Amino acid sequence: MFANTNDFLAGRKQVKTPSGGELVSVRFALKLKTTDLVTNGAGAIGILPPGTVPVSLIFDSDDLDTNAAPTVVASVGLLNDAGTDLATVWVSGITACQSGAAFSGTSTAMVREAQSLTSDRKIGIKFTTGAASAQAGEVGLTLIYRSA
């Protein structure tokens, strides 16, 4: 689990819920410490509200691996109940953290995600390969979702 949290995860901000057929987007930001950027390091970044399914995402990042040959690679999906791994991987192989970039994507796993009618689900990041030279910084996840 990551050392830091954000206003959505802490309950200080409410996640938007669509009221009809519209698409809704929310950006979740998270400050990461160097100790978070290890192989198999995982934690929560945001919340998918009940009765919704994801459509697309934009992952943006500061340069979190300052090595001349950066290695950090991330995946995004639904976090398991323990908060230690991704239960469902939506997108993998994200290298935006290597140079301070953004990635936009969708997948079959995202658009076929089964809805939960009763509870929030935590969206997580997992570093499948750790940073060669970790640098603390911020990642952001803009999630676009709709009513199920």
Side-chain angles (χ1 to χ4, degrees):
M1 294 174 54
F2 296 145
N4 290 326
T5 188
N6 61 34
D7 286 343
F8 294 101
L9 295 170
R12 292 185 293 266
K13 278 188 173 179
Q14 292 291 336
V15 179
K16 295 185 243 178
T17 302
S19 59
E22 74 274 11
L23 294 177
V24 174
S25 68
V26 176
R27 183 176 184 275
F28 304 102
L30 187 66
K31 300 237 185 257
L32 294 174
K33 296 184 176 188
T34 57
T35 54
D36 296 325
L37 302 169
V38 296
T39 299
N40 294 322
I45 188 169
I47 296 172
L48 180 64
T52 64
V53 292
V55 174
S56 184
L57 62 81
I58 302 165
F59 181 91
D60 64 270
S61 178
D62 290 340
D63 184 356
L64 302 179
D65 191 342
T66 58
N67 194 286
T71 58
V72 67
V73 179
S75 294
V76 174
L78 288 180
L79 205 56
N80 66 11
D81 291 338
T84 57
D85 201 358
L86 297 180
T88 304
V89 176
W90 291 342
V91 181
S92 61
I94 302 170
T95 58
C97 301
Q98 293 181 1
S99 61
F103 167 86
S104 176
T106 192
S107 69
T108 304
M110 282 183 75
V111 297
R112 292 184 179 171
E113 184 65 54
Q115 67 173 331
S116 170
L117 295 175
T118 57
S119 61
D120 289 337
R121 292 173 288 169
K122 289 187 178 174
I123 303 161
I125 299 170
K126 178 179 180 178
F127 293 102
T128 54
T129 306
S133 300
Q135 172 69 41
E138 183 176 286
V139 293
L141 179 72
T142 303
L143 185 68
I144 296 101
Y145 54 98
R146 64 172 176 80
S147 293

